[in-house]
């Protein structure tokens, strides 16, 4: 999905940041655009680039070759363009460079006013891409706001009984620790989860472009979409973690306080 406006409400540790690194390198190289990859703090930038971006480059000679001319913690030259890795701590860092694209990782953890300042860096660009993704926190805040106005794609599964349905929490049997069809109540196999397909809020199948009158392409990715994650792991998190943790980091959904 290379939509100019993209958001994702997601669970933790699903590989989305790794995907974003690869996609931004590709876009910078082949679309020749300058990208600002924004994380909440400078310290997070240092850890992120050191442990993820640099490690990825070390393991992939093609990516390493792309970065050979300028390669530092905060800036990678990709062909004729640059990917800047920036911390969203001060307004000063947000007004120093012009960009074609903003990628805001861990969006909900960053100062929202600084993120809004970064938007001004796109004004000169004919691209004006903005991608945001994060574990959500509270309703109508951060990534949740953008998902609400998006096409809201969710994974649908076709079960062996013939029914198609959204793979949501209704499909988890916490007592038997298994995934179950909400219609026939028989087990959903790992292969059926793996072969799921994306439909938007209007029940239109994802075709590679936004269908309908939506500016934002939105994705909801809870942890149980990963076919390698058994229902027992979800059930354990439900038993042992707080409701807030389970909602934000497992369901990939905003937590509504009982108060």
């Amino acid at each position: 999905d290379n939509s100019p406006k993209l958001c994702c409400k997601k669970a933790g540790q699903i590989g989305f940041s790794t995907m974003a690194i690869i996609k931004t390198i590709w876009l910078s190289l082949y679309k020749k655009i300058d990208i600002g990859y924004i994380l909440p703090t400078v310290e997070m930038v240092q850890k992120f680039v050191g442990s993820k971006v640099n490690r990825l480059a070390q393991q992939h000679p093609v990516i390493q070759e792309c970065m050979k001319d300028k390669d530092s913690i905060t800036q990678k030259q990709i062909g004729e363009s640059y990917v800047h890795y920036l911390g969203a701590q001060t307004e000063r860092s947000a007004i120093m460079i012009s960009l074609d694209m903003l990628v805001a990782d861990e969006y909900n953890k960053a100062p929202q006013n600084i993120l809004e300042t970064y938007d001004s860096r796109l004004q000169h660009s004919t691209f004006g891409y903005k991608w945001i993704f994060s574990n959500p926190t509270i309703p109508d805040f951060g990534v949740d706001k953008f998902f609400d106005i998006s096409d809201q794609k969710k994974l649908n599964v076709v079960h062996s009984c013939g029914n198609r349905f959204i793979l949501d929490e209704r499909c988890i049997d916490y007592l038997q620790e298994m995934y179950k069809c909400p219609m026939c109540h028989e087990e959903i196999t790992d292969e059926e989860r793996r072969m799921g397909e994306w439909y938007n809020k209007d029940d239109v199948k994802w075709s590679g472009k936004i269908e309908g009158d939506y500016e934002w392409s939105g994705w909801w990715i809870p942890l149980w979409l990963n076919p390698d994650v058994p229902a027992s792991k979800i059930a354990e998190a439900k038993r042992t973690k707080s409701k807030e943790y389970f909602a934000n980091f497992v369901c990939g959904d905003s937590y509504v306080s009982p108060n």
Side-chain angles (χ1 to χ4, degrees):
D1 183 1
N2 285 333
S3 301
K5 301 287 191 295
L6 183 151
C7 67
C8 178
K9 291 204 306 182
K10 68 181 195 68
Q13 303 301 313
I14 62 166
F16 206 92
S17 293
T18 301
M19 181 189 71
I21 293 167
I22 295 169
K23 288 181 74 172
T24 49
I25 292 171
W26 187 92
L27 284 165
S28 188
L29 183 63
Y30 291 105
K31 297 293 186 180
K32 303 186 187 307
I33 62 177
D34 293 318
I35 300 171
Y37 197 113
I38 307 163
L39 290 150
T41 67
V42 172
E43 289 76 18
M44 288 181 71
V45 169
Q46 293 171 340
K47 291 179 181 178
F48 180 85
V49 175
S51 64
K52 290 192 174 184
V53 181
N54 289 349
R55 182 175 292 180
L56 194 65
Q58 290 165 3
Q59 295 174 353
H60 294 76
V62 173
I63 295 177
Q64 193 171 44
E65 178 69 16
C66 291
M67 298 179 178
K68 67 179 183 178
D69 293 327
K70 172 66 176 178
D71 183 2
S72 68
I73 288 292
T74 59
Q75 190 180 79
K76 310 287 187 186
Q77 183 174 352
I78 312 294
E80 300 174 11
S81 305
Y82 289 88
V83 178
H84 305 270
Y85 296 94
L86 306 163
Q89 283 177 304
T90 67
E91 195 167 294
R92 178 173 171 269
S93 62
I95 61 175
M96 291 174 61
I97 50 178
S98 295
L99 300 167
D100 299 299
M101 178 180 189
L102 295 176
V103 178
D105 197 338
E106 300 286 3
Y107 188 87
N108 279 40
K109 295 179 181 177
Q112 301 295 298
N113 61 316
I114 304 297
L115 292 172
E116 291 173 2
T117 302
Y118 270 108
D119 287 348
S120 66
R121 300 296 86 205
L122 299 173
Q123 289 177 357
H124 82 291
S125 176
T126 57
F127 291 93
Y129 281 26
K130 184 176 180 180
W131 290 0
I132 65 173
F133 48 100
S134 181
N135 303 123
T137 46
I138 57 176
D140 197 34
F141 174 81
V143 70
D144 194 71
K145 288 195 306 181
F146 293 97
F147 185 79
D148 283 349
I149 61 173
S150 77
D151 60 352
Q152 298 186 17
K153 289 179 288 296
K154 296 181 178 180
L155 193 76
N156 282 230
V157 164
V158 176
H159 189 245
S160 57
C161 68
N163 285 301
R164 174 171 64 85
F165 46 85
I166 295 171
L167 190 63
D168 57 19
E169 202 176 356
R170 296 175 305 152
C171 302
I172 303 170
D173 184 324
Y174 286 108
L175 290 177
Q176 297 189 51
E177 297 189 351
M178 60 191 296
Y179 297 105
K180 282 188 176 181
C181 170
M183 279 74 165
C184 73
H185 306 294
E186 294 297 321
E187 184 175 10
I188 302 168
T189 67
D190 293 343
E191 182 66 7
E192 286 168 339
R193 284 193 293 145
R194 190 180 72 83
M195 295 302 293
E197 296 181 308
W198 297 91
Y199 286 76
N200 72 8
K201 64 187 297 184
D202 302 318
D203 203 38
V204 177
K205 185 177 175 180
W206 173 245
S207 64
K209 64 178 183 178
I210 298 174
E211 302 286 350
D213 189 24
Y214 301 102
E215 183 181 11
W216 284 82
S217 177
W219 303 85
W220 176 59
I221 309 182
L223 187 59
W224 54 78
L225 265 57
N226 182 346
D228 291 329
V229 175
S232 58
K233 184 172 181 178
I234 306 298
E236 181 184 11
K238 187 84 166 181
R239 287 193 307 269
T240 61
K241 303 294 184 181
S242 69
K243 291 181 179 179
E244 181 177 7
Y245 178 96
F246 186 82
N248 300 162
F249 293 94
V250 179
C251 290
D253 210 351
S254 300
Y255 176 68
V256 180
S257 170
N259 299 320

